[in-house]
Structures are given as structure tokens and as C-alpha cells.
Amino acid sequence: MEGEHRDIFGHIARNYDKLSGALTAGLDNIWRDRAVSEVSGYKNARVLDVATGTGAIALMIAKRFKDYKVTGIDLNREMLRVAKEKSAAVKNVRYLEGDAESLKLKPGSYDVVNLQVIHKFFILILIIIATGICIAE
């Protein structure tokens, strides 16, 4: 599934944010805003955004909390390319390509970890339904 995940998201990376908005009737913005609100209350927080995709949440956190250092990680190079383009002018966010499970982090490396995989899985299912992409034979 991991390879298929990369392929599907790689093909739609440029349009992912628009697809997400359209397929959820705008609910994705509510989910993202709620996720960003949940990380408030810290000073100089180090935030890890797992499965960051196009960096929408990481970017929102970085813009709202300028004293935070935000790291987004994702498996998909194309999604990360979009994230980096969107975040080019924002200095307190960076992106890593990789699997969050394989990160070698010391305890206390991050103050906050954001994990919106359920949301991304929901969007993936809607995209598969809407486009007819087949991931298994």
C-alpha cells in the first residue's frame, strides 16, 4: 500500500488542496483550523506535523505562531514539493521526506505532534471514489 499511496498522492499533489475542499464541502478547513487551535498555549514550541502532505496545517501553525518551529514530514515527494512552494516565504517551517515511524527522535524532541491521518484517509477514499483510481486488483 505504501507505494500506491505515494503514487496516488503524487498524481494529485498540485490539485490536492482544491480536491480536499471540494470533496469535503469545505469541512477540511474546519478540521485544519481546529488542529491549529489545539497547538496553542506553548512558548517556542517545536511541532511535528506527521503526514503533512501539502503542508496546509504546518503552514497554518507556522504563520499563526511565529515563535514555533514547525517540521512537516511526509512520504510523498510531490506533496512536499507543493508544501515547500507554498511555504517559501515562511522561515519557521521545514519539511522532511520520510516515514514518521522511522524517525530517530530523542525524547522531548518535539513539544507537539499533529497527526491528521484520519482526515487524509477520508480524502483519499473520496478521491478514489471520484476518480475511479484502483489501488488493488
Side-chain angles (χ1 to χ4, degrees):
M1 174 65 181
E2 183 179 307
E4 290 90 353
H5 169 271
R6 289 183 191 199
D7 290 343
I8 290 170
F9 283 102
H11 290 301
I12 63 166
R14 293 263 169 233
N15 297 311
Y16 178 81
D17 292 333
K18 289 177 189 169
L19 281 168
S20 178
L23 294 171
T24 64
L27 289 176
D28 61 327
N29 289 324
I30 294 169
W31 297 330
R32 288 181 184 125
D33 194 51
R34 180 172 288 161
V36 172
S37 295
E38 291 293 323
V39 303
S40 65
Y42 294 88
K43 295 285 185 207
N44 301 311
R46 296 160 299 169
V47 179
L48 178 63
D49 184 29
V50 177
T52 198
T54 62
I57 292 175
L59 182 57
M60 288 173 69
I61 292 169
K63 284 181 172 180
R64 189 173 300 175
F65 306 104
K66 303 227 185 298
D67 62 320
Y68 286 17
K69 288 186 174 30
V70 183
T71 302
I73 185 167
D74 201 281
L75 292 168
N76 191 283
R77 182 172 292 148
E78 293 305 313
M79 295 286 271
L80 289 172
R81 186 171 290 138
V82 173
K84 290 174 183 177
E85 288 171 8
K86 290 179 5 182
S87 304
V90 181
K91 302 298 181 204
N92 61 328
V93 63
R94 68 183 181 128
Y95 297 99
L96 304 173
E97 181 181 347
D99 185 346
E101 292 177 7
S102 65
L103 284 176
K104 294 185 177 31
L105 301 174
K106 296 177 185 174
S109 295
Y110 290 94
D111 303 303
V112 178
V113 176
N114 177 56
L115 182 63
Q116 297 293 314
V117 174
I118 299 293
H119 165 251
K120 290 179 180 14
F121 180 73
F122 176 69
I123 297 300
L124 176 61
I125 295 302
L126 290 174
I127 289 167
I128 290 169
I129 291 169
T131 63
I133 294 172
C134 179
I135 59 172
E137 295 183 308

